[in-house]
């Protein structure tokens, strides 16, 4: 396990504290956010609207009434995620500005994590027709997750010197995939074998949702214990009562003066494009596999687990590549692979499992690596003392644009009647992201931000 040990010049205690927060929150992201809660909430909403759970032969076509608007039960979960995403885009920069002024940064991160974990655990009570409770808990969980990640990402700069950030970020991301894979594997076994375990499928799902919340909350104690607090640098620490007001003021000033950091802004815009492509490919892959390629649910679940498993090693491999070739060049290579993946997706034959699994392996290899290195590369371009504030723009910008890819995918499908041109259309996000990324001069951006130059960028 030496390849997971702390890199040189990184405190082992803090390294493990940092890495295991990725492990902690990935239980929620994978089990609840990616696989189980959306279809479960849909079933609860359909039961409330129609008195039964809809099927392909007997769909539920009665709308829920929300503030006088008719909402399809099948769209409820996605609307909630959209609302949480838009609220995050406004809320997270304030969280970041506050974090940069707090001496107890880890408490802020863990506080948001525990609030989100409590909401996730309470999903065990979502049943019968209580879709409103489910919608509220999903909103709180996603907002708290984003808030905790803003502070978490900024801590990378505190614990790792410039030359070690790629390695630390990649290894932490790998821990996240390992944790998400392990909990998802157990929960899918419980849901699949619910009859043998003497419980209904609904009970098995609710217990799995509870386990994700407990996993997130309990493992968050490790970073809380192991991470150290540091005094704010580069910005004035404000007195209580003035924190939120001055944080809004600092955010406004940062947005006005960010044009002084041209490479930082260019990198951020490039990231928004190619990350939107990545997130959309992941979010539509199950629909593409089922509706276009004709695979059963068991195959799709197996593929999700395969991607999680391979992504663990992919993140580590990208960390090694970055040490040798630099993060910028490694991310560029990863985006070329992403473009090949969407082209391969267009060409995949229906009902052929082997090519679909091969594409899953390819996604797993580049998935964690491109995101982990993007985080560490962006950290090099942030002016001192504004780490959380800039990472809040990173997170908020991601959430503010993450609907573009799904919009393009949906529009192309609507115009063509096929998911094949829709999947290849996502390549435009990787093309634009790559075209912007190659224009980023990392050395110049690091100098502009006043940071120490690493050996490789």
């Amino acid at each position: 396990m030496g390849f997971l040990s702390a890199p040189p010049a990184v405190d082992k205690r803090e390294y493990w504290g940092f890495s295991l927060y990725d492990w902690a929150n990935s239980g929620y992201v994978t089990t609840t956010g990616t696989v189980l809660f959306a279809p479960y909430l849909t079933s609860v909403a359909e039961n409330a609207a129609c008195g039964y759970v809809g099927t392909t032969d007997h769909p539920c076509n009665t709308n829920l009434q929300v503030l006088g608007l008719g909402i399809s039960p099948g769209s409820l979960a996605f609307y909630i995620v959209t609302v949480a995403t838009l609220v995050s885009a406004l809320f997270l920069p304030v969280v970041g500005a506050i974090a940069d002024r707090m001496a107890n940064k880890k408490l802020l991160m863990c506080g948001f994590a525990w609030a989100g974990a409590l909401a996730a655990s309470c999903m065990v009570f979502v049943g019968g027709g209580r879709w409103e409770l489910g919608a509220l808990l999903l909103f709180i969980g996603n907002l708290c997750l984003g808030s905790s990640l803003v502070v978490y990402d900024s801590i990378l700069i505190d614990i790792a010197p410039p030359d070690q950030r790629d390695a630390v970020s990649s290894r932490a991301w790998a821990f996240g995939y390992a944790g998400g894979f392990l909990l998802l594997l157990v929960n899918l076994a419980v849901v699949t074998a619910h009859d043998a375990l003497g419980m209904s499928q609904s009970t098995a799902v609710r217990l799995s949702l509870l386990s994700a919340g407990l996993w997130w909350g309990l493992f968050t104690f490790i970073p809380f214990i192991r991470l150290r607090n540091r005094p704010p640098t580069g910005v004035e620490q404000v007195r209580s009562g003035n924190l939120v007001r001055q944080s809004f003021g600092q955010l406004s000033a940062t947005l006005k003066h960010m044009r002084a950091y041209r490479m930082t802004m260019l990198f951020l815009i490039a990231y928004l494009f190619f990350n939107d492509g990545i997130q959309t490919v992941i979010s539509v892959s199950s629909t593409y596999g089922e509706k276009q390629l004709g695979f059963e649910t068991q195959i799709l679940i197996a593929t999700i687990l395969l991607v999680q498993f391979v992504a663990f090693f992919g993140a580590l491999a990208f960390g090694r590549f970055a040490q040798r070739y630099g993060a910028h060049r490694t991310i560029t290579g990863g985006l070329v692979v992403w473009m090949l993946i969407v082209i391969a997706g267009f060409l995949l034959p229906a009902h052929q499992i082997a090519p679909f699994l091969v594409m899953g392996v390819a996604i797993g290899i580049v998935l964690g690596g491109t995101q982990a290195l993007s985080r560490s590369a962006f950290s090099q371009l942030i002016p001192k003392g504004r780490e959380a504030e800039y990472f809040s723009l990173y997170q908020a910008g991601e959430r503010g644009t993450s609907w573009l890819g799904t919009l393009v995918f949906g529009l192309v499908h609507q115009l063509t009647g096929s998911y094949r041109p829709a999947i290849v259309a996502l390549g435009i996000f990787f093309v634009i992201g790559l075209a912007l990324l190659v224009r980023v001069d990392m050395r110049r951006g690091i100098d502009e931000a006043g940071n120490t130059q690493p050996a490789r960028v």
Side-chain angles (χ1 to χ4, degrees), residues 180-222:
F181 171 83
L182 181 61
L183 184 63
L184 180 62
L185 183 64
V186 172
N187 284 331
L188 288 178
V190 170
V191 172
T192 302
H194 63 88
D195 283 335
L197 296 173
M199 65 180 78
S200 67
Q201 182 173 348
S202 173
T203 300
V205 169
R206 289 189 290 111
L207 289 177
S208 296
L209 297 173
L210 174 62
S211 74
L214 293 175
W215 179 285
W216 186 8
L218 292 175
F219 279 110
T220 295
F221 279 99
I222 297 176

Side-chain angles (χ1 to χ4, degrees), residues 6-148:
V10 177
D11 181 84
K12 291 182 179 180
R13 180 181 177 86
E14 291 203 289
Y15 166 77
W16 286 104
F18 181 82
S19 298
L20 287 177
Y21 186 64
D22 250 319
W23 171 283
N25 69 69
S26 289
Y28 171 79
V29 171
T30 305
T31 289
T32 301
T34 303
V35 179
L36 291 181
F37 194 64
Y40 179 70
L41 182 61
T42 298
S43 298
V44 172
E46 288 177 337
N47 192 53
C50 298
Y52 60 88
V53 177
T55 64
T56 303
D57 297 327
H58 190 205
C60 172
N61 295 319
T62 302
N63 286 338
L64 300 165
Q65 293 300 312
V66 181
L67 300 176
L69 299 175
I71 301 295
S72 168
S75 300
L76 176 65
F78 304 108
Y79 288 148
I80 296 301
V81 171
T82 299
V83 171
T85 296
L86 295 175
V87 172
S88 294
L90 300 174
F91 181 67
L92 297 190
V94 180
V95 173
I98 291 173
D100 284 330
R101 286 159 176 75
M102 287 190 66
N104 200 345
K105 188 183 289 187
K106 72 173 183 180
L107 179 61
L108 182 64
M109 180 193 84
C110 295
F112 278 119
W114 285 323
L118 178 61
S121 299
C122 287
M123 290 176 181
V124 70
F125 300 114
V126 178
R130 294 189 292 273
W131 62 267
E132 299 96 336
L133 176 63
L136 176 63
L137 294 174
L138 180 61
F139 175 84
I140 294 173
N142 282 9
L143 188 61
C144 289
L145 174 66
S147 299
S148 70

Side-chain angles (χ1 to χ4, degrees), residues 59-330:
C60 172
N61 295 319
T62 302
N63 286 338
L64 300 165
Q65 293 300 312
V66 181
L67 300 176
L69 299 175
I71 301 295
S72 168
S75 300
L76 176 65
F78 304 108
Y79 288 148
I80 296 301
V81 171
T82 299
V83 171
T85 296
L86 295 175
V87 172
S88 294
L90 300 174
F91 181 67
L92 297 190
V94 180
V95 173
I98 291 173
D100 284 330
R101 286 159 176 75
M102 287 190 66
N104 200 345
K105 188 183 289 187
K106 72 173 183 180
L107 179 61
L108 182 64
M109 180 193 84
C110 295
F112 278 119
W114 285 323
L118 178 61
S121 299
C122 287
M123 290 176 181
V124 70
F125 300 114
V126 178
R130 294 189 292 273
W131 62 267
E132 299 96 336
L133 176 63
L136 176 63
L137 294 174
L138 180 61
F139 175 84
I140 294 173
N142 282 9
L143 188 61
C144 289
L145 174 66
S147 299
S148 70
L149 289 177
V150 164
V151 188
Y152 172 65
D153 287 343
S154 73
I155 291 174
L156 173 64
I157 299 174
D158 294 335
I159 70 168
D163 282 317
Q164 301 299 335
R165 285 181 200 161
D166 293 333
V168 172
S169 183
S170 298
R171 294 177 195 185
W173 218 280
F175 274 110
Y177 282 113
F181 171 83
L182 181 61
L183 184 63
L184 180 62
L185 183 64
V186 172
N187 284 331
L188 288 178
V190 170
V191 172
T192 302
H194 63 88
D195 283 335
L197 296 173
M199 65 180 78
S200 67
Q201 182 173 348
S202 173
T203 300
V205 169
R206 289 189 290 111
L207 289 177
S208 296
L209 297 173
L210 174 62
S211 74
L214 293 175
W215 179 285
W216 186 8
L218 292 175
F219 279 110
T220 295
F221 279 99
I222 297 176
F224 182 72
I225 293 171
R226 289 180 172 264
L227 291 173
R228 290 192 296 114
N229 285 311
R230 292 167 173 82
T233 61
V235 293
E236 180 185 355
Q237 187 174 7
V238 297
R239 299 179 179 87
S240 60
N242 248 353
L243 196 58
V244 174
R245 181 178 62 81
Q246 292 198 24
S247 296
F248 269 111
Q250 184 59 48
L251 171 62
S252 176
T254 300
L255 292 173
K256 289 179 181 178
H257 293 93
M258 194 178 184
R259 59 176 175 266
Y261 308 104
R262 186 171 179 272
M263 292 299 111
T264 307
M265 182 178 293
L266 188 59
F267 184 94
L268 180 60
I269 295 172
Y271 172 76
L272 298 185
F273 275 101
F274 68 73
N275 185 65
D276 197 3
I278 292 171
Q279 298 299 330
T280 305
V281 170
I282 298 305
S283 65
V284 305
S285 57
S286 293
T287 301
Y288 189 77
E290 179 181 352
K291 303 299 183 181
Q292 187 67 52
L293 303 180
F295 294 125
E296 298 292 333
T297 302
Q298 293 89 333
I299 298 298
L300 300 177
I301 291 174
T303 305
I304 291 171
L305 289 171
L306 176 65
V307 170
Q308 290 285 123
F309 179 77
V310 174
F312 170 81
F313 297 99
L316 294 176
F318 265 62
R320 293 289 182 89
F321 290 146
Q323 287 180 322
R324 183 168 183 178
Y325 302 108
H328 185 267
R329 188 179 299 177
T330 305

Side-chain angles (χ1 to χ4, degrees), residues 333-405:
L335 295 184
V336 173
V337 176
W338 274 110
M339 287 189 283
L340 295 176
I341 285 172
V342 295
I343 294 172
F346 175 79
L347 299 173
L348 279 180
H351 306 292
Q352 297 293 316
I353 296 176
F356 187 64
L357 294 179
V358 169
M359 191 175 78
V361 170
I363 289 175
I365 290 172
V366 294
L367 175 60
T370 47
Q371 293 177 312
L373 293 183
S374 295
R375 175 171 65 183
S376 57
F378 186 67
S379 75
Q380 309 279 8
L381 303 172
I382 299 175
K384 291 185 183 299
R386 289 177 171 167
E387 293 84 2
E389 194 170 340
Y390 270 68
F391 267 117
S392 72
L393 297 178
Y394 184 84
Q395 289 280 345
E398 172 187 327
R399 284 160 169 74
T401 62
S402 60
W403 51 273
L404 287 174

